[in-house]
Amino acid sequence: MIIAKSAKDLDKMRAVGELIAEVREALRAMVNPGLSTLDLNAAAEKMMRDAGAIPTFIGYKPYGMVPFPFAICASVNEQIVHGFSNSRPLEEGDIISLDMACTLNGFVGDTAMTLPVGEVTDELKQLIRVTEECLDLGIQASRVNNRVGDIGWAIQQHADKFGYGIVRDYTGHGIGRSMHEAPQIPNYGRPGTKERIRAGYCFAIEPMLNLGTHETRTLSDKWTVVTMDGKASAHAEHTIAVTADGPEILTLTKEQKKQRLNDQTAMAAV
Ligand code: MF3
Ligand code: CO
Ligand code: CO
């Protein structure tokens, strides 16, 4: 069953979305050669707890799995998702995906980004840019009366232009009081298929694109997912709410929301 959120619940989704976006932007500003993923994890956990929120990932344990031990997923280069933090300094030329979620007043916000560490190759820059474009396209397809397959199609048709491997073993998802709710939202699909989208639905849209094969495997730590061919992978994620007026991105900072309003006003003026 897909849970449509009430106006009151949507306000709580907005609050947690803004908080996790502030954490994301703080981490974005920290990423540099020499910093370790443990440093990023510690900063994220502190920000969440200082704000009165719970790091949703710590202890997260899907059936048959071991509990996830960190506040963030830090996935470097060929790591796709669910990477463990460690003390290795990030190196110029790496790319790093940071995925994070917290729970505030009973509701979850979930967001991810991929960043270059220092200067990276054009090939990696393009992979990151197209992953963000796919996220935007998936969000734009998240409209009342569209279907979940329209989201997957919007993402797939763009990723396909570049020949990227679209990860199939992990998907976006509904989100609310639980981090993972129905429906699953694959990053591929056919227009007009799967569940109909209604007002009040909240989704985490999260394309994962690989330079090479879409195939994945999991490391012996039981969590870290890497590409089968060792080529790089990028991930971008927002939590959104479907409203009668269109998709609303919940995981934006106050500053980013203000900027968007300004951009829209400037667009309307031309
Ligand atoms: N946040 C991930 C997602 O985007 C799930 C991470 S599960 C964890 O759905 F256990 F690794 F934290
Ligand atoms: Co996430
Ligand atoms: Co997610």
Side-chain angles (χ1 to χ4, degrees), residues 57 99-101 110-112 173 179 206 235 237:
F57 290 1
D99 188 351
M100 62 209 78
D110 185 6
T111 186
H173 48 92
M179 175 162 64
E206 49 180 315
H235 180 204
E237 177 176 27

Side-chain angles (χ1 to χ4, degrees), residues 3-186:
I3 302 168
K5 275 70 184 176
S6 67
K8 228 172 112 186
D9 290 352
L10 282 176
D11 276 337
K12 293 181 186 159
M13 288 296 293
R14 287 187 183 99
V16 71
E18 190 176 294
L19 171 58
I20 199 66
E22 300 288 355
V23 176
R24 183 193 62 225
E25 294 311 313
L27 297 192
R28 189 193 303 277
M30 287 176 71
V31 165
N32 255 314
L35 196 81
S36 78
T37 46
L38 268 180
D39 298 330
L40 293 163
N41 182 72
E45 181 171 355
K46 181 169 192 318
M47 273 187 84
M48 292 173 194
R49 295 205 192 274
D50 285 352
I54 299 161
T56 315
F57 290 1
I58 297 180
Y60 181 71
K61 187 187 173 306
Y63 183 76
M65 296 197 53
V66 296
F68 192 80
F70 298 99
I72 65 171
C73 298
S75 309
V76 177
N77 298 334
E78 79 285 359
Q79 299 180 347
I80 303 168
V81 285
H82 305 164
F84 279 15
S85 295
N86 58 42
S87 56
R88 179 182 87 86
L90 294 170
E91 285 171 36
E92 177 111 17
D94 287 342
I95 62 170
I96 179 167
S97 303
L98 296 171
D99 188 351
M100 62 209 78
C102 66
T103 307
L104 182 71
N105 292 319
F107 286 84
V108 183
D110 185 6
T111 186
M113 64 183 169
T114 300
L115 300 174
V117 179
E119 195 55 38
V120 304
T121 62
D122 287 344
E123 188 183 43
L124 290 173
K125 281 183 199 162
Q126 179 182 271
L127 176 69
I128 293 172
R129 176 177 57 78
V130 172
T131 304
E132 289 168 355
E133 288 167 358
C134 283
L135 173 57
D136 282 342
L137 291 164
I139 292 169
Q140 284 314 312
S142 302
R143 290 177 185 276
V144 173
N145 284 328
N146 273 5
R147 287 177 180 270
V148 168
D150 294 315
I151 301 174
W153 169 245
I155 292 168
Q156 172 179 6
Q157 58 82 28
H158 192 53
D160 281 351
K161 292 177 205 162
F162 300 86
Y164 292 148
I166 302 174
V167 173
R168 307 174 78 89
D169 297 341
Y170 303 87
T171 67
H173 48 92
I175 183 167
R177 288 188 179 274
S178 299
M179 175 162 64
H180 293 149
E181 294 183 354
Q184 284 191 16
I185 307 176

